[in-house]
Amino acid sequence: CSLKLRFIIKCRNPSIHMGMEKLVVVLLIICYKNTNSTKIDYLKMSLRILHTADVHLGIKFNSKNYPDETRNKLVEERYISLKRCVEYANETKCHFLVIAGDLFDTVYISRKEIKKTADILNRFEGIHLVVLPGNHDFYEEGKEKLWPVFTEYMKEGLLLLLDECRRYECQAGEEVVSFFAAPCFTKH
């Protein structure tokens, strides 16, 4: 066997945003693969990471002229999609679930919505939920600010909040995994 880096891309709704294609869900897997084999056994891979970004929970869709029923369904679908990400990460026994920016659409989000999000993410069974604050949900210190409240609702030891510009190291079996963080501290 030889060590190879494999990128498995799973995307339901790619969107174009500011001229760049963003993938809704990307599964990045580092694995050992027999060069003669065409079948990949995900559970035998040495490290499994489910990566997503730009979930934008809490978006209200007020700028669009949608009927209330449609707007409410769009808001709820974002939570359903996040739940599916967690379920898929658990099914494929991912070590890490990474949310690389904009889990939330704004830093001004209700405790009820934060708790609903934490309840979904607390179902992740891997080593760490890794969350990087983005430009919409940038990191601010303060007891009642978004990220301290979110942290309060998360299971102890599950959340790895990348709230500093530095390298974070985690153990995953025999592997040391490094995450190089560049969180946002302002909207612009």
Side-chain angles (χ1 to χ4, degrees):
C1 289
S2 62
L3 179 63
K4 293 195 174 185
L5 180 63
R6 304 279 303 179
F7 294 95
I8 310 298
I9 299 174
K10 195 170 168 70
C11 181
R12 269 187 62 199
N13 297 312
S15 63
I16 304 300
H17 180 69
M18 297 187 339
M20 294 177 12
E21 184 174 77
K22 296 205 174 190
L23 297 177
V24 175
V25 178
V26 180
L27 179 61
L28 302 174
I29 300 175
I30 299 173
C31 67
Y32 287 97
K33 180 179 178 286
N34 185 327
T35 55
N36 298 325
S37 173
T38 57
K39 185 177 178 186
I40 299 172
D41 185 349
Y42 298 108
L43 299 182
K44 290 184 180 176
M45 295 178 182
S46 60
L47 181 63
R48 292 176 298 281
I49 300 172
L50 183 88
H51 173 275
T52 190
D54 297 307
V55 182
H56 289 278
L57 296 172
I59 192 170
K60 302 299 182 202
F61 296 96
N62 291 331
S63 63
K64 304 288 183 186
N65 200 15
Y66 294 124
D68 287 344
E69 182 181 348
T70 301
R71 188 176 10 261
N72 292 337
K73 284 181 182 179
L74 288 169
V75 168
E76 189 57 31
E77 183 60 35
R78 292 190 175 271
Y79 289 99
I80 292 167
S81 295
L82 183 64
K83 183 180 175 204
R84 287 182 187 141
C85 284
V86 172
E87 289 169 353
Y88 187 75
N90 289 338
E91 286 170 20
T92 56
K93 306 224 181 293
C94 287
H95 297 92
F96 299 97
L97 172 53
V98 177
I99 303 172
D102 295 340
L103 172 60
F104 298 100
D105 188 59
T106 178
V107 293
Y108 306 107
I109 192 153
S110 72
R111 276 188 168 266
K112 180 181 175 183
E113 289 172 298
I114 296 170
K115 183 174 182 338
K116 181 176 182 176
T117 303
D119 288 346
I120 293 168
L121 293 171
N122 277 328
R123 295 180 193 149
F124 177 57
E125 298 167 356
I127 297 169
H128 282 300
L129 166 69
V130 181
V131 180
L132 179 73
N135 67 312
H136 285 257
D137 57 6
F138 54 90
Y139 185 81
E140 292 181 290
E141 290 187 22
K143 184 179 171 191
E144 291 302 313
K145 299 293 183 179
L146 169 63
W147 293 112
V149 171
F150 178 74
T151 301
E152 170 186 316
Y153 287 121
M154 291 302 299
K155 283 193 304 193
E156 189 172 334
L158 180 62
L159 177 65
L160 177 58
L161 181 62
L162 307 181
D163 59 354
E164 296 178 31
C165 292
R166 67 177 181 91
R167 181 171 87 183
Y168 292 79
E169 287 188 349
C170 306
Q171 195 74 33
E174 296 178 13
E175 305 287 334
V176 175
V177 180
S178 293
F179 295 97
F180 294 86
C184 293
F185 300 101
T186 63
K187 174 102 174 160
H188 302 286

